[in-house]
Amino acid sequence: MHNHTVLVVDDEKELRDAIEIYLKNEGLTVIKAKDGIEAIEKLNECDVHLIILDVMMPRLDGIKTTFKIREEKNIPIIILSAKSEDTDKILGLQIGADDYLTKPFNPLELIARVKSQLRRYVTLGTYEGNDKVIELHGLTLDSSAKEVAVNGEVVKLTPIEYKIVELLMTNAGRVFSIAEIYERVWKEPGFNAENTVAVHIRKIREKIEIDPKNPRYLKVVWGIGYKIEK
């Protein structure tokens, strides 16, 4: 985890400082911002590998900040939200956040999620079949370029979305349960993973399907899970 930089964005100085201590103890470099506007400025100045982003902030909140970041960057984003902000948490996932934690949170869980996201993001290019191109009915996955295209048009996916598509396309025709998708992609036990996976599946469909409500590629097998057809 050394030489990786995390941007911590929260309007509470005490929380920013506490998270900084947890991360630095793991050998990570930490940059801090007090709101979304400052966060975007820091992103333009520094090479950042992961963002921890609070939902409720002045000037530019976490939801709008996530949206602006996703216009240009695929850096993993972990959202921090209070329990009363569940709607915002789901909205954050819908517009491109990769994970979330509810405040107050266990520092050990934060570190585990940070490590998981960094491992996935930084080592994305080490996938064993990284010179492999898979094409299924106009849907193409280029493991070398880490790109997904529909009829030749490259689709902009977040790291998590890419890993889900990669899992399903490299195992085309096989049905994966929600828990299995979560365990394979997030590298964590898939307990209560339904909402998180469903949000990412919906976002993927919006990007790769002509009609997301009647998907051609990413199919649900009711009561079992999801697959991409051979």
Side-chain angles (χ1 to χ4, degrees):
M1 293 294 139
H2 292 269
N3 301 321
H4 297 151
T5 300
V6 179
L7 173 60
V8 179
V9 191
D10 198 296
D11 59 327
E12 295 181 39
K13 183 180 185 302
E14 295 80 4
L15 186 57
R16 286 199 307 271
D17 292 346
I19 293 173
E20 179 181 27
I21 292 169
Y22 304 146
L23 298 177
K24 282 189 171 180
N25 284 341
E26 299 298 321
L28 294 161
T29 300
V30 178
I31 301 170
K32 296 183 288 184
K34 63 180 179 296
D35 57 44
I37 291 175
E38 188 176 347
I40 290 168
E41 290 172 355
K42 299 279 188 186
L43 275 177
N44 291 331
E45 296 168 359
C46 308
D47 186 17
V48 173
H49 301 95
L50 182 139
I51 304 165
I52 298 173
L53 183 64
D54 187 33
V55 169
M56 296 298 291
M57 296 183 296
R59 297 211 295 172
L60 194 66
D61 65 31
I63 301 300
K64 292 175 183 174
T65 303
T66 299
F67 188 79
K68 288 188 76 67
I69 292 169
R70 280 291 174 257
E71 289 177 348
E72 296 183 1
K73 300 179 185 292
N74 282 335
I75 301 166
I77 299 173
I78 299 175
I79 284 181
L80 303 180
S81 70
K83 202 161 185 64
S84 60
E85 298 160 2
D86 272 359
T87 303
D88 288 332
K89 176 178 67 184
I90 298 299
L91 180 57
L93 290 170
Q94 286 178 330
I95 62 172
D98 297 283
D99 204 352
Y100 68 86
L101 268 177
T102 301
K103 296 190 287 187
F105 52 83
N106 184 326
L108 294 177
E109 183 178 6
L110 174 66
I111 294 302
R113 289 175 183 262
V114 165
K115 286 182 175 180
S116 175
Q117 292 293 336
L118 280 174
R119 189 163 54 244
R120 189 160 42 249
Y121 179 64
V122 175
T123 64
L124 199 57
T126 63
Y127 172 65
E128 289 179 354
N130 62 2
D131 58 348
K132 192 175 181 183
V133 175
I134 302 171
E135 199 277 329
L136 298 167
H137 314 291
L139 182 66
T140 305
L141 182 137
D142 184 336
S143 296
S144 179
K146 298 301 168 194
E147 288 181 344
V148 172
V150 179
N151 297 323
E153 293 287 328
V154 174
V155 177
K156 197 169 184 179
L157 299 178
T158 68
I160 288 284
E161 291 166 357
Y162 175 85
K163 292 299 284 183
I164 292 172
V165 173
E166 181 184 56
L167 172 66
L168 297 179
M169 287 190 71
T170 53
N171 297 276
R174 178 182 165 186
V175 181
F176 286 85
S177 69
I178 287 172
E180 194 172 5
I181 292 171
Y182 192 88
E183 288 165 8
R184 292 283 200 102
V185 172
W186 277 262
K187 308 296 184 188
E188 297 171 5
F191 303 123
N192 301 316
E194 290 82 0
N195 282 346
T196 300
V197 173
V199 165
H200 285 88
I201 292 289
R202 185 161 62 247
K203 291 303 294 180
I204 292 167
R205 280 177 169 163
E206 289 172 358
K207 294 176 180 182
I208 70 171
E209 303 284 0
I210 294 173
D211 181 1
K213 292 182 179 178
N214 296 288
R216 178 184 180 189
Y217 304 114
L218 213 172
K219 305 275 192 177
V220 64
V221 180
W222 293 107
I224 303 177
Y226 296 97
K227 68 175 180 176
I228 285 180
E229 297 279 17
K230 281 187 177 180

